[in-house]
Amino acid sequence: MPLIVPWKDIPADTLNNLIEEFVTRDGTDYGDHEIATSTKVEQVRQQLKQGDAFVVFDEVTESVSVMGKEQAGEAINS
């Protein structure tokens, strides 16, 4: 069962690496205009702070990922 991990409990460097991996993944294109990775990272960091995104640990796959509020809710409730 997936678990939400409080982002504040994750060491800063680890959280930054996790967010960078998330924003540079295939399928995370932001449209017609190129946006710097650092800007994308800051946008996701703000989403975490506002509760619009979550860090989720999946016990089955032993993986950690950043998910939007809706996606995290679906993962937790499935």
Side-chain angles (χ1 to χ4, degrees):
M1 174 174 206
L3 304 167
I4 292 179
V5 178
W7 65 269
K8 291 180 180 181
D9 293 347
I10 301 171
D13 287 344
T14 302
L15 180 62
N16 195 62
N17 290 338
L18 180 64
I19 295 171
E20 278 188 23
E21 188 276 329
F22 173 72
V23 301
T24 58
R25 241 184 244 162
D26 288 342
T28 56
D29 187 12
Y30 284 68
D32 294 336
H33 302 290
E34 187 68 29
I35 298 174
T37 299
S38 60
T39 301
K40 294 178 192 178
V41 167
E42 191 52 39
Q43 289 172 342
V44 171
R45 190 179 313 280
Q46 288 303 314
Q47 291 173 3
L48 289 168
K49 289 178 181 178
Q50 295 168 353
D52 294 327
F54 297 91
V55 176
V56 179
F57 173 71
D58 186 329
E59 294 175 317
V60 174
T61 62
E62 296 184 356
S63 63
V64 178
S65 187
V66 176
M67 295 183 181
K69 184 187 291 187
E70 186 174 313
Q71 185 182 15
E74 290 173 6
I76 299 298
N77 295 318
S78 63

